[in-house]
Amino acid sequence: MADDCYRLHIKPSARRVSARVGRWVNRSGPTREFDSKALAREWARACRGHGATVWVQDAPRWADDDADGYLVARTRRVAHEDAPGRQRTLGGDED
């Protein structure tokens, strides 16, 4: 960790799904420092909302930046034919 703080870099995926995160980045930039990883995770939980799932992911040791972690998000869009509850055969043309 850098200087006894937890440096969180905010990824574009998190900005796209969370309005609160987007406002933070617009005001203060794409990096935020916390006194601990636990506080960074608490902020991530507060930034969640309907359709907005964000979380803190540790930065790998080989990362080229000074981040201790990243705020990331995932949007999941399921195609209609792959919707949960539908099954397909594993074989070729069988119905």
Side-chain angles (χ1 to χ4, degrees):
M1 281 190 222
D3 305 321
D4 292 334
C5 70
Y6 191 83
R7 183 167 291 154
L8 189 68
H9 284 214
I10 301 167
K11 294 294 193 175
S13 61
R15 288 180 239 171
R16 282 191 296 271
V17 302
S18 173
R20 184 173 181 180
V21 172
R23 285 190 299 272
W24 167 265
V25 171
N26 285 336
R27 277 193 324 267
S28 305
T31 302
R32 184 164 181 186
E33 292 183 357
F34 294 89
D35 288 336
S36 68
K37 181 179 178 180
L39 290 173
R41 285 182 168 169
E42 186 176 314
W43 183 65
R45 279 190 298 277
C47 292
R48 292 178 184 167
H50 179 70
T53 303
V54 295
W55 67 91
V56 174
Q57 177 177 315
D58 286 335
R61 284 179 270 168
W62 62 84
D64 292 335
D65 55 28
D66 60 347
D68 296 306
Y70 302 109
L71 186 69
V72 296
R74 178 182 62 223
T75 56
R76 181 179 166 147
R77 292 192 176 99
V78 178
H80 182 67
E81 64 272 5
D82 293 332
R86 299 203 46 183
Q87 296 182 355
R88 293 188 199 188
T89 60
L90 295 175
D93 296 329
E94 296 176 26
D95 285 329

